[in-house]
């Protein structure tokens, strides 16, 4: 009798482990089917973007009517990482009526954890339309700038990158003095 009980007990343990395994496999299959349905049913970016009906003014690029920006690559605040910046120049400078070289330059840097493409365009456009030049850049590890690991928010490094962008702008070898007033 004792061996029969041990045998029944062993069989029930095997069934328990088997049923937990089968429950796991059923749940896994259910998740897989759910994800497949979501993937097939939810529209991709192109599908919903093409269905948007925005007013014509909102569909236009924020840079329509402006000169295309020039892209600049320069050394970041750590002296190693390469940063990417863009220079936007006005069609007509506020200095056109004076003897100044070019338009005054405003450097715009985004908030912590953002890129130069994250909401700076209305400000850049306003400054450029008013006759100023604007320079934006991505901090190291963000956006188009180099650096690893990505998206590292370090205020002291961001400050060094901002100082590096100012040094780059004032550096005579990049010829920005011929285009904008860097003082």
């Amino acid at each position: 009798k004792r061996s029969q009980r041990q045998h029944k007990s062993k069989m029930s343990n095997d069934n328990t482990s088997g049923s937990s395994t089968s429950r796991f496999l059923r749940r896994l299959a259910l998740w897989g089917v759910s994800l497949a349905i979501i993937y097939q049913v939810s529209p991709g970016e192109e599908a919903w973007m093409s269905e948007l009906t925005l007013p014509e003014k909102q569909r236009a690029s924020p840079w329509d009517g402006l000169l295309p920006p020039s892209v600049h690559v320069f050394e970041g605040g750590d002296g190693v990482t390469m940063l990417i910046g863009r220079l936007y120049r006005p069609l007509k400078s506020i200095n056109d009526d004076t003897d100044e070289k070019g338009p005054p330059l405003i450097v715009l840097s985004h908030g912590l954890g953002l890129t130069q493409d994250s909401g700076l365009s209305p400000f850049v456009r306003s400054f450029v339309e008013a006759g100023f030049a604007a320079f934006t850049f991505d901090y190291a590890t963000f956006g188009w700038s180099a650096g690893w690991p990505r998206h590292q928010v370090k205020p002291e490094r961001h400050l060094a990158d901002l100082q590096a962008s100012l040094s780059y702008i004032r550096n005579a070898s990049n010829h920005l003095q011929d285009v904008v007033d860097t003082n």
Side-chain angles (χ1 to χ4, degrees), residues 3-15:
S3 69
Q4 285 179 343
R5 276 190 234 151
Q6 287 175 349
H7 180 69
K8 283 184 182 179
S9 151
K10 185 178 179 188
M11 296 260 309
S12 68
N13 285 342
D14 287 345
N15 287 342

Side-chain angles (χ1 to χ4, degrees), residues 135-150:
F135 187 80
T136 63
F137 70 96
D138 286 325
Y139 292 115
T141 75
F142 286 91
W144 292 99
S145 291
W148 189 260
R150 302 298 291 167

Side-chain angles (χ1 to χ4, degrees), residues 68-83:
S70 56
V71 176
H72 295 263
V73 180
F74 58 99
E75 217 172 68
D78 64 358
V80 177
T81 307
M82 300 310 290
L83 306 183

Side-chain angles (χ1 to χ4, degrees), residues 55-80:
E56 190 62 37
K57 186 175 182 180
Q58 287 181 339
R59 258 187 265 147
S61 164
W63 310 116
D64 286 349
L66 300 179
L67 293 172
S70 56
V71 176
H72 295 263
V73 180
F74 58 99
E75 217 172 68
D78 64 358
V80 177

